């Protein structure tokens, strides 16, 4: 099919030699011929289908290598250069990850063993599928909090927070059902699943669905959804969620047994319950919490202060966990003071089990924000460290990697994972060179799972709560950056505050939705009420800048130069006209109406004075000078036009032409010019003109009116 060729007539002005007429430049048009575009949809579909469906050995090899990046980089692994750094960083991250895995398990509403499972499998799977050499994939506080909220909701729905009497009836019913026929035996097995068993079913099912979402996002290449999660939005969300995490752990610090609050306003409800039961504080847990804070916070600060001198951060968390476990075991704190402990952590692995398909309708919606947040955090960290160390990552492959880090472990009693900034920073600073570091971390956790896990039986839950809260310091420190953020961008600061407040005071999921909607509204408002200054001429140049921003600019007599700094579309079309009328000081509609009214009044007076003899009255008799004859609209900041925008420009040109003011367009990009042509903006016989620059448009207007091209008046 032969494409229709269009010619864009873009005008310019060439200065005449000094000996010629100095008052009028020579005007000519430049004809630009657009590139031909292939518009045969059938041909494009056939070409893409052939490309996709073709199967050659080379293409299969490329597909396998791209889908399993480990096959590309592992054969090229340099033992002498990389092995020592990878082993050191892997061991250190593994040592730090053990207590955090146990602590964050409680945050996700799971038993400690499941946090260790999650960290173990995530490291191995990312080793196979991931393209980033430095990020640490595993448990992340905000993700664990969101999982825990869903788990609490579903366990309450299933009746696991019922009164003890009701639970005894449930157990008796299950025992009776166990002695009946086979169909009832299946029901009894479900009834005999305790709260811990049901909680990991919920968590694993949600993990499976989130992983499916992430793989689907990679397959359809819709990673662009993460662009709606700006840095300020994510930072505000994490800080707001940190308050919820802190609130959820406060009861463990005090050793209180209060009902869990979920849903909207759970943060406020939890603090109300804490203060109502403050007199029931377990003194042993409170003292232990204070001592752990006194050790962990200074040690963490020293680690950060001397991180450039230390080859590896001091594993103070592991030291605290070991010391607290020994003190609790030999001091018999559980038996003597009723202190809450982690309990039995079994060794080895449970047999794999598929997700609970019946729970999918309950958690499918909750998995959407978890999938998006997990992907956004993982990809942003991957790209940040890849840029820092001079290599590239594939965003879609990262989506596959994090998706499989959720799908496969969901069959092994795990919950949702993503990259975590704190552990990634530790991993990078301790000499990590490749993904082998993640495999070493998984081996450290495997050692704990097979041998060491039962030794944590006497570990107090308040110690785990302290570890969780201390790791929130980075997010809570964002408040110190607010003055700087406000100075850089007030809009980003407001987005941060709104997202943080909504995430903390309403709920994490609703807070994320509020943040996304609010940030999109901010973008709309910024295009709805954009900057639209008048421009002045920079002497001895061809540059025009804002009169309100710079001093000593000059204006050409009879010419107004106006710049609209936003797309012109249906949302801001009225704003465009109102600002243009305000800046020029002339509303052509009002001027026309005033002329007609004055003409009628003078006509009536003439009829009365002349005894009824009608006389034509020229409009010039009622015209008042406007102060300008040309408006030049600088379109350099207009990214696109829609139908409403084109009609608005037509109305403006028509209205001003009727009061003898011409409108010229300058610096339109190819997209805008194409829209104007398709919208039939240029009608035959009408003098609509396009110019490559504002300077050319101004010179043309001066020449057309017979003014000197060098005459100027001070602004």
């Amino acid at each position: 099919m032969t494409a229709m060729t269009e010619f864009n007539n873009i005008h310019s002005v060439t200065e005449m030699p000094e000996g010629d007429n100095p008052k009028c430049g020579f005007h000519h048009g430049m004809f630009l011929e657009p590139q031909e575009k292939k518009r045969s949809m059938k041909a494009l579909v056939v070409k893409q289908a052939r490309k996709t469906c073709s199967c050659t050995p080379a293409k299969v090899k490329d597909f396998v290598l791209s889908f399993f990046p480990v096959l590309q980089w592992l054969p090229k692994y340099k033992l002498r250069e990389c092995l020592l750094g990878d082993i050191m960083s892997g061991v250190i991250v593994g040592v730090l990850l053990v207590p955090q895995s146990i602590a964050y398990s409680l945050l996700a509403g799971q038993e400690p063993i499941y946090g260790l499972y999650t960290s173990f499998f995530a490291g191995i799977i990312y080793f196979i599928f991931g393209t980033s050499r430095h990020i640490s994939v595993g448990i992340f506080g905000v993700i664990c909090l969101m999982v825990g909220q869903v788990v609490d909701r579903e366990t309450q729905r299933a009746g696991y927070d019922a009164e003890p009497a009701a639970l005894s009836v449930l157990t008796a019913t299950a025992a009776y059902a166990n002695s009946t026929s086979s169909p009832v035996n299946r029901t009894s097995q479900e009834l005999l699943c305790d709260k811990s068993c049901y909680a990991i079913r919920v968590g694993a099912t949600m993990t499976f669905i989130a992983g499916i979402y992430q793989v689907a996002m990679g397959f359809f290449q819709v990673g662009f959804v993460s662009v709606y999660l700006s840095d300020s939005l994510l930072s505000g969300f994490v800080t707001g969620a940190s308050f919820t995490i802190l609130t959820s752990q406060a009861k463990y610090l005090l050793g209180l047994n209060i009902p869990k609050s979920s849903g909207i306003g759970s943060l406020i409800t939890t603090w109300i319950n804490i203060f109502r039961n403050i007199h029931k504080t377990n003194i042993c847990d409170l003292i232990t919490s204070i001592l752990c804070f006194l050790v962990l916070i200074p040690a963490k600060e020293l680690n950060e202060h001397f991180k450039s001198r230390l080859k590896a951060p001091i594993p103070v968390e592991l030291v605290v966990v070991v010391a607290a476990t020994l003190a609790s075991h030999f001091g018999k704190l559980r038996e003597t003071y009723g202190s809450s402990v982690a309990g039995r952590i079994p060794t080895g692995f449970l047999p794999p089990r598929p997700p609970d398909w019946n729970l999918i309708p309950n958690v499918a919606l909750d998995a959407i924000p978890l999938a998006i947040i997990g992907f956004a955090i993982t990809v942003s960290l991957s790209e940040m460290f890849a840029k820092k160390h001079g290599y590239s990552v594939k965003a879609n492959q990262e989506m596959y990697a994090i998706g499989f880090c959720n799908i496969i472990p969901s069959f092994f009693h795990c919950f949702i994972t993503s990259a975590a900034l704190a552990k990634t920073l530790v991993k990078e600073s301790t000499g990590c060179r490749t993904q082998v570091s993640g495999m070493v971390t998984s081996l450290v956790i495997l050692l704990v799972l097979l041998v060491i896990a039962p030794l944590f039986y006497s570990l107090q839950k308040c110690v785990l709560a302290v570890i969780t809260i201390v790791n929130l310091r980075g997010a809570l420190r964002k408040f110190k950056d607010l003055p700087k953020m406000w100075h850089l961008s007030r809009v980003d600061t407001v987005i941060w505050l709104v997202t943080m407040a909504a995430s903390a005071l309403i709920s994490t999921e609703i807070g994320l939705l509020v943040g996304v909607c609010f940030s999109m509204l901010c973008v709309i408002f910024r295009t709805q009420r954009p900057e639209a200054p008048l421009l002045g001429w920079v002497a001895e140049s061809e540059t025009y800048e804002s009169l309100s921003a710079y001093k000593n600019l000059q204006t050409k007599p009879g010419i107004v130069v106006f710049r609209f700094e936003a797309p012109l579309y249906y949302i801001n079309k009225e704003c465009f006209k109102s600002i243009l009328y305000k800046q020029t000081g002339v509303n052509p509609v009002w001027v026309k109406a005033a002329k007609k009214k004055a003409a009628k009044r003078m006509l009536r007076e003439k009829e009365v004075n002349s005894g009824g003899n009608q006389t034509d009255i020229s409009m010039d008799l009622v015209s008042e000078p406007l102060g300008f004859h040309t408006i030049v609209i600088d379109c350099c900041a207009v990214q696109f036009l829609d139908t409403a925008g084109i009609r608005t420009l037509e109305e403006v040109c028509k209205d001003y032409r009727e009061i003898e003011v011409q409108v010229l367009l300058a610096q339109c990009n190819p997209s805008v010019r194409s829209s104007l042509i398709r919208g039939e903006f240029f009608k035959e016989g009408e003098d609509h003109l396009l110019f490559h620059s504002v300077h050319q448009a101004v010179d043309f207007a001066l020449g057309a009116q017979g003014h000197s091209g060098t005459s100027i008046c001070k602004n």
Side-chain angles (χ1 to χ4, degrees):
M1 184 178 70
T2 304
M4 183 178 294
T5 305
E6 297 173 341
F7 291 89
N8 291 351
N9 187 358
I10 304 175
H11 297 271
S12 64
V13 173
T14 303
E15 296 295 335
M16 295 295 291
E18 191 172 344
D20 294 326
N21 182 7
K23 293 187 177 182
C24 185
F26 176 72
H27 174 259
H28 66 88
M30 289 187 294
F31 293 90
L32 299 179
E33 183 178 358
Q35 294 279 0
E36 292 187 8
K37 296 181 179 179
K38 297 180 180 179
R39 298 180 180 178
S40 175
M41 183 60 66
K42 180 180 178 181
L44 290 174
V45 171
V46 171
K47 181 180 178 181
Q48 187 64 30
R50 287 177 178 174
K51 181 179 178 182
T52 304
C53 298
S54 62
C55 184
T56 62
K59 193 169 183 180
V60 172
K61 179 182 177 181
D62 290 341
F63 173 78
V64 172
L65 291 178
S66 62
F67 196 73
F68 299 97
V70 65
L71 300 178
Q72 287 182 310
W73 62 264
L74 191 58
K76 304 174 184 177
Y77 187 79
K78 300 176 181 178
L79 288 174
R80 292 185 178 180
E81 295 181 15
C82 303
L83 186 60
L84 182 60
D86 284 339
I87 291 176
M88 179 180 290
S89 65
V91 170
I92 292 170
V93 173
V95 168
L96 296 175
L97 198 55
V98 169
Q100 289 186 17
S101 298
I102 297 173
Y104 285 155
S105 297
L106 301 180
L107 190 60
Q110 310 293 342
E111 293 296 322
I113 188 66
Y114 300 126
L116 295 171
Y117 287 164
T118 302
S119 297
F120 170 74
F121 283 106
I124 294 176
I125 296 169
Y126 190 82
F127 168 82
I128 298 172
F129 293 100
T131 60
S132 173
R133 303 172 191 172
H134 293 87
I135 65 169
S136 175
V137 176
I139 53 177
F140 180 51
V142 175
I143 298 290
C144 292
L145 170 68
M146 298 174 71
V147 171
Q149 291 175 338
V150 179
V151 167
D152 290 343
R153 185 193 70 204
E154 293 302 316
T155 51
Q156 288 177 2
R157 283 183 181 178
Y160 285 98
D161 287 341
E163 296 296 326
L167 289 177
S168 64
V169 173
L170 185 65
T171 306
T173 304
Y176 173 77
N178 196 31
S179 61
T180 59
S181 61
S182 177
V184 182
N185 277 336
R186 289 195 295 269
T187 305
S188 69
Q189 290 172 3
E190 294 179 2
L191 291 172
L192 286 173
C193 180
D194 62 5
K195 184 177 180 179
S196 171
C197 168
Y198 192 77
I200 194 57
R201 279 192 192 179
V202 175
T205 303
M206 188 161 49
T207 301
F208 176 79
I209 297 300
I212 292 294
Y213 290 155
Q214 289 166 336
V215 170
M217 289 164 64
F219 181 78
F220 292 107
Q221 298 186 358
V222 292
F224 65 87
V225 295
S226 64
V227 303
Y228 295 103
L229 304 178
S230 63
D231 291 341
S232 57
L233 187 150
L234 277 176
S235 176
F237 171 72
V238 171
T239 303
S242 297
F243 281 107
T244 307
I245 294 173
L246 189 152
T247 299
S248 68
Q249 299 301 296
K251 65 178 184 179
Y252 296 114
L253 300 179
L254 303 174
L256 296 177
N257 186 14
I258 59 174
K260 287 187 177 181
S261 299
S262 59
I264 297 175
S266 59
L267 182 140
I268 298 174
T269 305
T270 301
W271 281 109
I272 291 174
N273 289 332
I274 287 173
F275 284 112
R276 281 179 178 173
N277 296 274
I278 197 72
H279 59 282
K280 300 178 182 178
T281 298
N282 187 305
I283 302 300
C284 177
D285 285 344
L286 178 61
I287 293 174
T288 303
S289 300
I290 293 173
L291 291 175
C292 290
F293 273 121
L294 292 176
V295 174
L296 281 173
I297 292 178
K300 288 275 191 178
E301 293 295 329
L302 289 173
N303 269 340
E304 289 188 10
H305 188 71
F306 295 104
K307 62 182 178 182
S308 60
R309 301 181 185 179
L310 294 172
K311 292 185 178 180
I314 302 171
V316 63
E317 290 175 336
L318 186 63
V319 173
V320 167
V321 165
V322 172
T325 303
L326 293 174
S328 176
H329 175 73
F330 291 105
K332 299 187 181 298
L333 301 184
R334 177 173 177 269
E335 294 80 2
T336 307
Y337 302 103
S339 184
S340 179
V341 298
R344 179 177 174 270
I345 304 178
T347 57
F349 293 89
L350 296 174
R353 177 172 184 160
D356 192 335
W357 311 118
N358 295 324
L359 284 172
I360 289 179
N362 296 354
V363 300
L365 196 60
D366 299 293
I368 294 175
L370 286 165
I372 295 175
I373 293 171
F375 159 71
I377 292 173
T378 302
V379 171
S380 60
L381 286 178
S382 299
E383 292 179 344
M384 180 175 72
F385 284 94
K387 183 177 180 181
K388 181 177 179 180
H389 292 275
Y391 62 94
S392 61
V393 294
K394 299 177 181 177
N396 280 326
Q397 182 60 31
E398 287 297 295
M399 230 176 328
Y400 286 130
I402 198 65
F404 287 119
C405 282
N406 287 320
I407 293 176
I408 298 173
S410 68
F411 290 85
F412 295 91
H413 314 278
C414 301
F415 49 89
I416 298 177
T417 59
S418 74
L421 176 60
K423 290 182 282 294
T424 300
L425 289 172
V426 172
K427 188 174 180 180
E428 183 217 19
S429 63
T430 51
C432 170
R433 302 296 296 273
T434 67
Q435 293 93 316
V436 170
S437 174
M439 180 63 75
V440 174
T441 299
S442 294
L443 293 177
V444 172
I445 296 174
L446 178 64
L447 177 65
V448 174
L449 282 168
L450 296 179
V451 180
I452 304 174
L455 302 179
F456 293 112
Y457 175 89
S458 298
L459 177 61
Q460 293 169 272
K461 288 184 177 180
C462 64
V463 177
L464 300 176
V466 171
I467 292 173
T468 301
I469 293 173
V470 168
N471 283 306
L472 301 176
R473 293 173 308 123
L476 298 177
R477 280 177 178 169
K478 292 294 182 181
F479 284 98
K480 293 172 60 178
D481 298 333
L482 281 181
K484 182 179 179 181
M485 191 189 304
W486 179 263
H487 179 70
L488 291 174
S489 173
R490 296 184 179 183
V491 174
D492 285 347
T493 307
V494 174
I495 292 173
W496 188 93
L497 290 171
V498 168
T499 308
M500 184 274 298
S503 301
L505 300 178
I506 304 176
S507 71
T508 49
E509 295 88 351
I510 296 177
L512 180 64
L513 180 62
V514 167
V516 171
C517 293
F518 185 77
S519 62
M520 294 177 70
L521 285 175
C522 287
V523 173
I524 294 174
F525 288 150
R526 292 170 90 170
T527 60
Q528 189 175 7
R529 301 294 301 178
E531 294 291 328
L534 294 181
L535 306 184
W537 176 54
V538 180
E540 300 180 358
S541 73
E542 297 184 357
T543 303
Y544 283 76
E545 289 294 347
S546 171
L547 289 168
S548 60
Y550 300 99
K551 298 179 180 179
N552 302 320
L553 298 180
Q554 300 169 338
T555 57
K556 301 287 186 176
I559 300 175
V560 174
V561 183
F562 173 79
R563 177 189 292 157
F564 191 69
E565 299 180 355
L568 181 54
Y569 62 126
Y570 70 98
I571 288 179
N572 60 15
K573 62 177 184 176
E574 295 301 325
C575 174
F576 170 80
K577 291 199 292 186
S578 64
I579 295 179
L580 177 61
Y581 298 160
K582 181 180 178 181
Q583 292 284 46
T584 59
V586 175
N587 186 328
V589 178
W590 293 354
V591 172
K592 287 189 295 182
K595 285 184 177 182
K596 289 181 180 179
K597 186 176 180 181
K600 290 180 180 179
R601 185 177 67 251
M602 293 182 66
L603 183 60
R604 287 195 301 268
E605 293 176 355
K606 190 70 174 179
E607 289 176 350
V608 172
N609 294 335
S610 62
N613 294 327
Q614 295 189 9
T615 306
D616 291 337
I617 299 175
S618 173
M619 289 293 291
D620 293 336
L621 297 177
V622 295
S623 297
E624 296 182 1
L626 299 176
F628 60 91
H629 53 74
T630 302
I631 297 175
V632 178
I633 300 178
D634 181 3
C635 301
C636 67
V638 179
Q639 295 97 333
F640 64 87
L641 294 172
D642 68 353
T643 305
I646 296 171
R647 299 289 87 84
T648 300
L649 280 178
E650 288 179 345
E651 291 174 10
V652 167
C653 292
K654 178 177 176 292
D655 291 342
Y656 274 111
R657 190 186 314 111
E658 291 178 354
I659 62 171
E660 299 179 356
V661 174
Q662 67 174 340
V663 177
L664 309 178
L665 304 181
Q667 300 196 99
C668 297
N669 64 42
S671 172
V672 171
R673 292 199 295 268
S674 178
S675 297
L676 292 173
I677 292 170
R678 291 196 307 269
E680 298 181 352
F681 180 77
F682 305 101
K683 294 182 174 61
E684 186 176 355
E686 293 187 356
D687 191 21
H688 295 296
L689 298 177
L690 284 176
F691 294 85
H692 268 300
S693 70
V694 174
H695 182 74
Q696 291 173 346
V698 171
D699 278 356
F700 170 76
L702 289 173
Q705 294 296 322
H707 293 291
S708 173
T710 58
S711 63
I712 53 176
C713 61
K714 287 280 186 178
N715 179 40

